[in-house]
């Protein structure tokens, strides 16, 4: 993944993530991070976080609303809770967050730096500069309210911060990456996500270097009062605005339901076919574990893509919500039993890999490779058919949403005894 610029529409959503999902997001987010670090190293995990398409897909596979600005808050929060106990092992630290917590970032960086050995004061300054650039140098009508700073023991870092516009009810997410960063003022962003709201005053663009220099000259030569006179004299006159750069654009629609246009169906069919075809071969020992079956392997195929997929694989974040549903029943309720088994399988695979036995973790990589090969020819149900089947069977998998537990459809039979569990154990 390379440094890049981009944009996306992120509908502004309010509310809180329920505790039953928040805890699981922290667990799944942490074990996915461990798997990425194991296979590709810490630097690659930071690069992933700096990629807006991957970041949105990461949140979707964890059961968060697939299209909303709430992904940013919930993912940063989940990583903070999940990675903090692993900081000594992985060498990754999550600082900052939303609101008042964001303002504690410089102090956190200084404290962690003193403990592990990087220059905390320098990174505290970087944190302030990043926040200042996105709130002052990039004038796009949004107020920064979230600032997450993820730093490694060697001092490399990524920042994800977000601003919102209450009138338009849209948010913009900004991504920064220290790798390759040469200047905080000229073109520093790894990527920018947010609604396209017309012309933006962006003094960090490389084409604005002459403008920045000229502004300093004018301030020195004319002074503040002289500048105001020049502005008043220029009122009513207009000059052609410089053409805005054409940026890659990730469109996050306002509709909450997952529609066929939101999903690359051939990739979904590839994952389904790989789970059916490769699962019994690669997971023979795994399938003997009670509760792990075809449905769990299907989710694992999508999680495997989050771990191993190339940047181009994440243009449709909605597809990753098909792994574990969504807290608001879109595309369907979160299948708690499947979610928990996914976490258990990944934890077991990562633990074995740490001890030198990477067979189970490698099986996930092979599952992803198989899905990509099969998607060229695989066929399967339409998206509405797939979603409807999941909803009809949701009660069998412990389906849950912010509206409560999913009841069995009228006339449906009870799930098999071995798949029924006391709801208290799923809380």
């Amino acid at each position: 993944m390379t440094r890049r610029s981009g944009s996306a529409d992120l509908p502004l959503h309010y509310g809180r993530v329920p505790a039953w999902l928040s805890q699981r997001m922290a667990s799944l987010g942490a074990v996915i991070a461990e798997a990425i670090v194991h296979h590709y190293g810490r630097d690659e995990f930071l690069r992933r976080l700096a990629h807006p398409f991957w970041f949105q897909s990461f949140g979707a596979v964890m059961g968060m609303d697939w299209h909303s600005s709430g992904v940013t808050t919930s993912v940063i929060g989940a990583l903070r809770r999940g990675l903090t106990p692993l900081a000594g092992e992985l060498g990754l630290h999550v600082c900052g967050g939303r609101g008042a917590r964001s303002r504690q970032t410089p102090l956190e960086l200084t404290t962690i730096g003193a403990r592990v050995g990087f220059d905390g004061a320098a990174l505290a300054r970087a944190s302030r500069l990043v926040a200042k650039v996105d709130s002052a140098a990039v004038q796009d009508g949004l107020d920064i309210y979230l600032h997450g700073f993820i730093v490694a023991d060697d001092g490399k870092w990524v920042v994800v911060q977000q601003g919102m516009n209450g009138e338009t009810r849209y948010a913009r997410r900004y991504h920064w990456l220290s790798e390759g960063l040469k200047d905080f003022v000229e073109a520093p962003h790894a990527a920018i996500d947010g609604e396209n709201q017309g012309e933006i005053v962006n003094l960090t663009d490389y084409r604005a270097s002459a403008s920045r220099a000229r502004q300093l000259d004018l301030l020195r030569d004319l002074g503040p009062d002289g500048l105001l006179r020049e502005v008043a004299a220029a009122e009513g006159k207009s000059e052609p605005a410089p053409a805005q750069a054409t940026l890659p654009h990730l469109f996050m629609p306002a509709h909450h339901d997952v529609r066929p246009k939101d999903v690359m169906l051939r990739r979904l069919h590839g994952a389904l076919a790989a789970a059916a075809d490769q699962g019994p071969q690669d997971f023979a020992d795994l399938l003997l574990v009670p509760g792990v079956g075809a449905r769990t392997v299907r989710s694992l195929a999508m999680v495997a893509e989050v771990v191993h997929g190339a940047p181009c694989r994440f243009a449709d974040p909605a597809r990753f919500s098909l792994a574990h549903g969504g807290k608001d029943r879109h595309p369907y309720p979160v299948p708690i039993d499947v979610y928990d088994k996914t976490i258990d399988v990944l934890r077991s695979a990562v633990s074995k890999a740490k001890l030198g036995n990477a067979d189970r973790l490698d099986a996930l990589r092979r599952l992803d490779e198989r899905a990509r090969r099969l998607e060229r020819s695989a066929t399967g149900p339409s998206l509405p058919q797939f979603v409807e089947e999941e909803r009809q069977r949701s009660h069998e998998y412990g389906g849950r949403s912010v509206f409560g537990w999913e009841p069995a459809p009228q006339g449906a039979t009870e799930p098999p005894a071995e798949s029924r569990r006391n709801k208290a154990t799923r809380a």
Side-chain angles (χ1 to χ4, degrees):
M1 296 186 175
T2 58
R3 288 170 52 82
R4 52 156 301 206
S5 296
S7 60
D9 291 334
L10 299 171
L12 191 60
H13 278 201
Y14 297 96
R16 299 179 66 86
V17 180
W20 56 264
L21 179 59
S22 176
Q23 295 163 4
R24 289 174 170 88
M25 288 184 69
S27 298
L28 183 57
V31 75
I32 288 176
E34 287 186 278
I36 293 172
V37 171
H38 173 82
H39 280 288
Y40 305 108
R42 274 189 327 216
D43 289 357
E44 178 60 20
F45 181 63
L46 295 179
R47 294 185 198 110
R48 301 282 182 97
L49 292 175
H51 193 293
F53 291 77
W54 185 88
F55 191 97
Q56 198 77 15
S57 301
F58 185 41
V61 86
M62 290 194 287
M64 186 55 193
D65 300 327
W66 64 275
H67 69 141
S68 79
S69 62
V71 163
T72 312
T73 305
S74 59
V75 168
I76 293 298
L79 289 178
R80 183 175 178 120
R81 293 188 302 276
L83 292 182
T84 296
L86 301 172
E89 178 184 344
L90 296 181
L92 289 167
H93 312 269
V94 183
C95 306
R98 184 173 182 172
R101 177 163 279 176
S102 69
R103 294 188 287 274
Q104 297 299 313
T105 307
L107 177 60
E108 289 182 274
L109 290 169
T110 303
T111 303
I112 295 171
R115 187 172 71 247
V116 303
F118 59 67
D119 190 342
L123 292 189
R125 178 175 180 272
S127 170
R128 294 189 184 97
L129 277 170
V130 167
K132 186 61 69 174
V133 168
D134 282 339
S135 62
V138 180
Q139 299 173 26
D140 52 12
L142 292 96
D143 298 321
I144 301 297
Y145 67 93
L146 178 145
H147 177 88
F149 198 115
I150 300 91
V151 60
D153 279 355
D154 59 6
K156 295 178 181 178
W157 51 266
V158 62
V159 166
V160 179
Q161 58 185 11
Q162 187 158 285
M164 67 176 173
N165 186 320
E167 294 182 2
T168 63
R169 294 184 59 81
Y170 273 88
R172 175 168 287 115
R173 187 170 66 228
Y174 306 87
H175 296 249
W176 291 67
L177 183 65
S178 65
E179 183 178 64
L181 180 62
K182 298 177 181 178
D183 196 319
F184 277 100
V185 179
E186 183 168 300
H189 298 88
I192 299 176
D193 278 13
E195 181 192 17
N196 184 346
Q197 299 183 43
E199 296 293 332
I200 295 174
V201 178
N202 183 3
L203 296 179
T204 72
D205 192 284
Y206 73 94
R207 294 163 297 180
S209 59
S211 175
R212 293 194 299 266
R214 183 56 181 150
Q215 287 177 54
L216 293 175
D217 292 342
L218 286 172
L219 184 60
R220 182 184 65 246
D221 297 341
L222 300 178
D225 293 338
L227 281 175
L228 289 175
R229 286 194 300 271
E230 290 293 322
V231 171
E235 281 186 344
K237 300 178 182 179
S238 61
E239 297 180 1
Q244 292 291 311
T246 302
L247 303 176
H249 184 68
L250 170 63
F251 178 69
M252 289 284 94
H255 61 261
H256 207 148
D257 55 312
V258 178
R259 302 175 183 178
K261 66 179 181 179
D262 301 321
V263 173
M264 294 185 184
L265 199 58
R266 62 181 176 82
R267 291 181 176 172
L268 172 61
H269 289 163
L272 298 178
D277 180 51
Q278 195 77 356
Q281 297 176 34
D282 264 1
F283 291 89
D285 60 331
L286 178 63
L287 293 175
L288 297 177
V289 179
V292 174
R295 178 61 182 84
T296 300
V297 177
R298 249 168 46 194
S299 289
L300 285 168
M302 296 183 192
V303 171
E305 187 173 351
V306 170
V307 174
H308 298 288
C312 62
R313 304 285 303 180
F314 303 102
D316 56 339
R319 178 165 51 93
F320 295 91
S321 70
L322 301 174
H324 297 122
K327 67 179 180 65
D328 291 342
R329 295 188 82 247
H330 295 289
Y332 39 76
V334 177
I336 295 296
D337 293 349
V338 174
Y339 202 132
D340 288 345
K341 285 299 177 184
T342 301
I343 294 172
D344 290 345
V345 169
L346 287 173
R347 277 179 174 164
S348 174
V350 169
S351 296
K352 288 179 179 295
K354 291 176 182 177
L355 297 175
N357 181 4
D359 288 351
R360 194 170 287 181
L361 200 56
D362 287 342
L364 287 172
R365 176 177 49 78
R366 293 193 296 273
L367 188 63
D368 176 61
E369 292 171 352
R370 181 68 172 167
R372 276 179 275 150
R373 288 195 297 269
L374 286 174
E375 70 185 34
R376 302 171 188 171
S377 57
T379 59
S382 68
L383 181 65
Q385 289 172 332
F386 179 83
V387 170
E388 181 58 28
E389 181 181 351
E390 283 292 323
R391 288 193 171 187
Q392 289 296 318
R393 301 191 63 182
S394 181
H395 67 291
E396 297 180 31
Y397 306 132
R400 191 175 186 181
S401 69
V402 293
F403 306 107
W405 294 99
E406 198 69 9
Q410 190 172 7
T413 59
E414 281 294 309
E418 63 267 22
S419 68
R420 292 200 303 265
R421 298 169 60 194
N422 190 310
K423 289 182 179 180
T425 66
R426 300 175 180 147

